[in-house]
Amino acid sequence: MYIDVRNLKKTYTKHTGFLNTKSFTVNALDDVSFSVKKGKCLAIVGESGSGKSTLAKTIMKLLNPDSGEINFMKQNIVNLSSDETKVFRKKIQMIFQDPFSSLNPKFTIRQILSEPMEIHMMGDKDEIERHVIEHIKLVGLSEQDLSRFPHQFSGGQRQRICIARALIINPEVIVCDEPVSALDVSIQAQILELLKKLQKKFQLTYLFITHDLRVVKYIADEVIVLQNGKLVEKGTVSKLFNNPSTDYTKALIEAIPGSI
Ligand SMILES: Nc1ncnc2c1ncn2[C@@H]1O[C@H](COP(=O)(O)OP(=O)(O)OP(=O)(O)O)[C@@H](O)[C@H]1O
Ligand SMILES: [Mg+2]
């Protein structure tokens, strides 16, 4: 299996009360296990606070789990050395919900797109420029856009820039955390279409966090549902819609506005 997550647990300690003297434990991930095949899209669904972003961050190695394994091509990435971590970080990239805060406002688009290649030492100046031009076009923008700044673009265009930045180092896996939910509905479809096209072109594996089951239907092959840190459902998208196994999933399906 390409990505194989086993018995993942993550707790947070939260402080409340007068001068934060009281504390309690939140089970953000409570014994979560699932797997993803190469080139497929796994949707991660669940209400606010169910543990979706915590799962994404542990897979990205931005957070350490308390216990469990995250196997990526049979290698458990939880306890990698710093050299191994560098190699791993080139293979996985993330796209966030808010394309406004994830782009440095002082950088031109050329600088924003060059940076990941510079960090990973992936070529000389000419090579980087060639990649930058190729990738801005890949996401439907133009070479002229490279000398502009983030504030000169719309939300959808900024998300295109974030997608180009994620793809520029040729990753194998993209973790998308609600990548379209901050965008106008009319723009959402265009960005989803772009993500789907790019997935096919580069045989990318997606972990796609969304609270919108219409998005799941459009882009995902398989789906897991989280509730209070527990995995309450996993299977194909058609199984989720045709034969949901929990009331929680049924409620999520019923919450979809309009017909799908
Ligand atoms: N840094 C933190 N410190 C303490 N508790 C946290 C922290 N981050 C998340 N939590 C808690 O862990 C649980 C899971 O949070 P998480 O952000 O993973 O949920 P989510 O499914 O991504 O929610 P949303 O849909 O709102 O983004 C929640 O109860 C949250 O309050
Ligand atoms: Mg979240």
Side-chain angles (χ1 to χ4, degrees):
M1 202 52 81
Y2 188 60
I3 299 172
D4 190 29
V5 171
R6 294 220 183 137
N7 308 106
L8 205 60
K9 288 190 188 181
K10 175 72 188 174
T11 54
Y12 294 109
T13 306
K14 275 201 175 176
H15 298 277
T16 58
F18 180 62
L19 297 175
N20 284 338
T21 43
K22 286 182 188 162
S23 67
F24 64 97
T25 303
V26 180
N27 290 315
L29 294 175
D30 194 357
D31 206 15
V32 169
S33 302
F34 63 90
S35 54
V36 193
K37 295 189 188 93
K38 184 169 168 58
K40 297 286 179 189
C41 176
L42 175 82
I44 301 167
V45 177
E47 65 194 354
S48 185
S50 58
K52 306 181 297 294
S53 293
T54 303
L55 179 59
K57 285 178 199 156
T58 46
I59 291 172
M60 292 297 300
K61 276 185 81 61
L62 301 172
L63 270 181
N64 275 325
D66 298 349
S67 61
E69 291 177 14
I70 301 167
N71 297 297
F72 178 60
M73 294 197 289
K74 300 206 164 92
Q75 183 184 36
N76 185 2
I77 58 140
V78 172
N79 296 313
L80 294 181
S81 68
S82 65
D83 281 353
E84 288 168 331
T85 300
K86 270 187 209 149
V87 176
F88 170 72
R89 285 208 197 286
K90 258 189 74 183
K91 295 188 177 151
I92 185 159
Q93 288 291 300
M94 192 156 177
I95 299 168
F96 297 92
Q97 174 170 1
D98 184 2
F100 297 87
S101 63
S102 60
L103 296 173
N104 188 331
K106 292 187 184 140
F107 280 14
T108 62
I109 307 311
R110 176 175 279 104
Q111 287 170 310
I112 287 169
L113 295 186
S114 304
E115 196 181 34
M117 288 192 73
E118 288 162 6
I119 289 170
H120 290 283
M121 294 184 284
M122 291 178 70
D124 58 23
K125 223 167 155 260
D126 290 350
E127 224 163 319
I128 292 177
E129 176 69 7
R130 211 161 32 77
H131 258 77
V132 166
I133 294 170
E134 186 187 315
H135 280 77
I136 198 73
K137 290 180 179 163
L138 194 64
V139 297
L141 297 173
S142 71
E143 200 175 331
Q144 286 70 39
D145 289 323
L146 291 172
S147 36
R148 299 167 75 196
F149 289 88
H151 73 266
Q152 296 173 288
F153 294 90
S154 68
Q157 288 172 326
R158 286 186 217 202
Q159 200 56 300
R160 287 175 191 269
I161 294 162
C162 293
I163 293 168
R165 180 180 56 180
L167 289 184
I168 203 151
I169 59 167
N170 304 321
E172 296 181 26
V173 180
I174 309 277
V175 177
C176 304
D177 193 348
E178 302 269 12
V180 298
S181 52
L183 305 174
D184 286 352
V185 175
S186 58
I187 307 295
Q188 289 186 0
Q190 295 172 13
I191 298 295
L192 287 172
E193 201 181 323
L194 175 67
L195 285 169
K196 206 168 175 174
K197 188 183 97 184
L198 294 170
Q199 183 190 21
K200 206 169 165 201
K201 188 173 168 91
F202 298 110
Q203 286 163 14
L204 297 165
T205 304
Y206 282 171
L207 297 178
F208 202 102
I209 295 175
T210 178
H211 64 276
D212 189 337
L213 289 189
R214 291 170 301 179
V215 173
V216 172
K217 200 162 200 178
Y218 179 76
I219 204 156
D221 303 293
E222 308 242 334
V223 57
I224 59 174
V225 179
L226 293 176
Q227 183 183 23
N228 295 328
K230 284 198 168 65
L231 198 150
V232 294
E233 181 124 40
K234 68 178 154 187
T236 61
V237 171
S238 61
K239 178 189 168 287
L240 178 94
F241 281 96
N242 298 327
N243 192 15
S245 54
T246 65
D247 288 343
Y248 181 67
T249 312
K250 282 178 205 154
L252 286 175
I253 293 171
E254 277 157 22
I256 299 172
S259 61
I260 52 163

